Amino acid sequence: MFQEKDEYLLKGYLINQSGYVKETVTFPMEEYETFIKKNNRVPRLIVCDMQGKLVTDTATSVSG
């Protein structure tokens, strides 16, 4: 049951200027665009699915 629910969640890592994780946020996939727009001033933003697969990395412009 939990595994099915995890498929719809993403994990965002907000990285500060020094390269350290400032905050980790778990959010529903439906809020992906809102999350990216809301955190556009963060020096680096990494978004992964719950299995750890990279979705977006703003520092390298990689999208999976």
Side-chain angles (χ1 to χ4, degrees), residues 27-63:
F27 58 95
M29 192 178 294
E30 298 83 30
E31 294 180 15
Y32 173 76
E33 293 293 329
T34 305
F35 180 79
I36 297 293
K37 289 177 185 175
K38 187 175 102 176
N39 294 294
N40 66 348
R41 295 182 188 262
V42 176
R44 184 175 184 185
L45 183 62
I46 300 172
V47 178
C48 300
D49 64 13
M50 295 307 283
Q51 287 74 41
K53 182 180 175 190
L54 181 66
V55 176
T56 303
D57 184 345
T58 58
T60 61
S61 301
V62 171
S63 293

Side-chain angles (χ1 to χ4, degrees), residues 5-11 26-29 48-50:
K5 190 173 183 180
D6 283 352
E7 292 177 16
Y8 302 106
L9 294 176
L10 297 174
K11 187 165 277 218
T26 302
F27 58 95
M29 192 178 294
C48 300
D49 64 13
M50 295 307 283

